Amino acid sequence: IENLSVVMPVTLGALALGIFMSFSRFDGFFALSHSMFTGLAWILFVLAATVTPEQIKPFVDNGIGDLQARVYFILLRLLDWVDAALNNSASSDNYVFMFEICFLMWWLTYLGIWSILRYGYTWRAVIPAGAVLMVNTFYAPRSTLGFLIAFALIALLLLVRTNLAEHQLRWRVQRLYFNQDLVFDFLR
């Protein structure tokens, strides 16, 4: 669909917040709830840039500011979608689709970074993202197999690197000697 490029700033925002929260002293509940509200606000802000002036004219005519009118327009579209779902009718609103895709990418990115950097759980980041990419590859109208192959290679490198980091930590605790250049040799 048009304007789906908004996914990139949403993903970069989730990446930045995930890195920041991973190294913070906040507990898990605060960090996750903060991420949810920050993510919703960021997604609404990014999606607001896709709204045209013609679409918000009724809001602006009633004295509502430009950015606020854009966000109201998106929220109204989301409420219309909920109303359609409750009344068993179909809705093909692109703003709702973009919102859902952005929300999914926010959580995949944030939880992936959080689980890797905070706890070292690489599989918790790789499996959900890989599953979403596999479903997307299966249903995509154009072939996205290249993305799946690139993801598999990067995921493999990430898994190898985190596994080696765990071994290095264990070797340091056990006071075993190992060459510091082992990382580059092992990745190669």
Side-chain angles (χ1 to χ4, degrees):
I1 64 169
E2 209 174 296
N3 295 324
L4 201 56
S5 60
V6 297
V7 172
M8 188 59 67
V10 168
T11 305
L12 292 175
L15 179 74
L17 187 67
I19 290 170
F20 173 72
M21 286 298 196
S22 295
F23 293 113
S24 70
R25 294 183 182 202
F26 296 124
D27 66 340
F29 177 76
F30 175 79
L32 290 176
S33 59
H34 182 268
S35 171
M36 185 177 76
F37 292 117
T38 304
L40 288 173
W42 181 243
I43 291 168
L44 286 173
F45 177 75
V46 170
L47 283 178
T50 65
V51 177
T52 62
E54 295 83 30
Q55 292 171 319
I56 60 168
K57 186 167 176 22
F59 294 106
V60 174
D61 289 345
N62 287 324
I64 296 174
D66 188 57
L67 179 61
Q68 188 176 2
R70 291 172 188 269
V71 171
Y72 281 170
F73 176 79
I74 292 170
L75 291 174
L76 185 63
R77 299 299 282 263
L78 290 171
L79 287 174
D80 288 344
W81 177 79
V82 169
D83 184 51
L86 291 175
N87 293 321
N88 293 328
S89 61
S91 175
S92 60
D93 194 345
N94 286 343
Y95 284 103
V96 173
F97 179 74
M98 286 190 300
F99 180 84
E100 290 171 352
I101 292 296
C102 287
F103 192 71
L104 175 67
M105 289 307 298
W106 176 274
W107 279 109
L108 282 175
T109 305
Y110 178 81
L111 292 176
I113 293 296
W114 170 269
S115 63
I116 290 171
L117 296 180
R118 182 86 169 219
Y119 300 110
Y121 298 147
T122 310
W123 286 108
R124 289 186 184 178
V126 170
I127 290 175
V132 168
L133 187 56
M134 285 180 58
V135 168
N136 192 29
T137 301
F138 183 75
Y139 288 108
R142 287 179 278 141
S143 177
T144 58
L145 190 60
F147 290 114
L148 186 61
I149 291 170
F151 174 81
L153 291 173
I154 292 169
L156 181 64
L157 285 174
L158 179 64
L159 289 166
V160 166
R161 178 63 186 112
T162 54
N163 188 27
L164 181 61
E166 289 172 6
H167 284 299
Q168 286 178 323
L169 185 62
R170 186 171 42 98
W171 293 337
R172 283 189 184 104
V173 168
Q174 294 175 351
R175 297 182 191 266
L176 295 174
Y177 173 76
F178 62 94
N179 191 353
Q180 296 299 323
D181 294 335
L182 178 71
V183 174
F184 300 111
D185 294 338
F186 199 75
L187 284 175
R188 187 180 46 208

